[in-house]
Amino acid sequence: MADDCLFCRIVRKEIPAKLVLENEHVMAFRDINPQAPVHVLVIPREHVASLNEATDSEMIGRLTLAAAEIAKREGVAESGYRTVINTNRDAGQTVFHLHLHLLGGRDMRWPPG
Ligand code: AMP
Ligand code: ZN
């Protein structure tokens, strides 16, 4: 846990979030600035700054499978969705607590901007 980390504060419930999933390892909540009709962030409860610092393959697997589960619940599994982990400057990472974006509910372009 990092005292001043925004997402650690959401894990500790010091900051409100619209939770969509919570278990022993993972939390998921709606992005405050959604870029698609479904835009959920899936995070590990433990503080990991970015994918560069991740070492726990089970944790990465849990984030990914949680996203797939939420996509089903949100009704976008069949129509399609995108999962994204932004890492560092060139990808535009702004919050340095590892998070996986789940985006769905609209047509998306490739390559991303
Ligand atoms: P990234 O640019 O990949 O680091 O993504 C950070 C995401 O966190 C952005 O999409 C923000 O809109 C989102 N965000 C920032 N603060 C909050 C918050 N308090 N609750 C929910 N989402 C947030
Ligand atoms: Zn954190």
Side-chain angles (χ1 to χ4, degrees):
M1 283 276 180
D3 285 349
D4 55 352
C5 168
L6 178 65
F7 288 175
C8 283
R9 296 190 70 195
I10 287 177
V11 170
R12 292 197 298 266
K13 309 246 166 98
E14 292 170 8
I15 293 178
K18 292 184 180 167
L19 291 183
V20 298
L21 181 149
E22 184 175 16
N23 65 35
E24 190 187 346
H25 302 288
V26 164
M27 277 177 76
F29 50 90
R30 297 197 191 279
D31 196 291
I32 205 166
N33 182 23
Q35 301 300 313
V38 174
H39 189 173
V40 171
L41 302 176
V42 188
I43 70 170
R45 295 184 85 97
E46 67 173 295
H47 181 82
V48 176
S50 83
L51 194 55
N52 285 338
E53 284 74 35
T55 55
D56 182 349
S57 54
E58 272 188 48
M59 184 261 271
I60 299 298
R62 284 190 189 104
L63 296 181
T64 310
L65 292 178
E69 174 61 33
I70 295 162
K72 287 175 195 148
R73 279 200 232 158
E74 297 279 327
V76 297
E78 293 305 319
S79 53
Y81 58 92
R82 188 167 287 170
T83 52
V84 175
I85 298 175
N86 293 321
T87 304
N88 280 351
R89 185 196 58 227
D90 280 359
Q93 185 177 5
T94 58
V95 178
F96 287 83
H97 180 128
L98 179 61
H99 52 280
L100 182 150
H101 295 257
L102 164 64
L103 297 143
R106 68 167 170 83
D107 191 28
M108 272 173 260
R109 302 264 94 77
W110 191 264

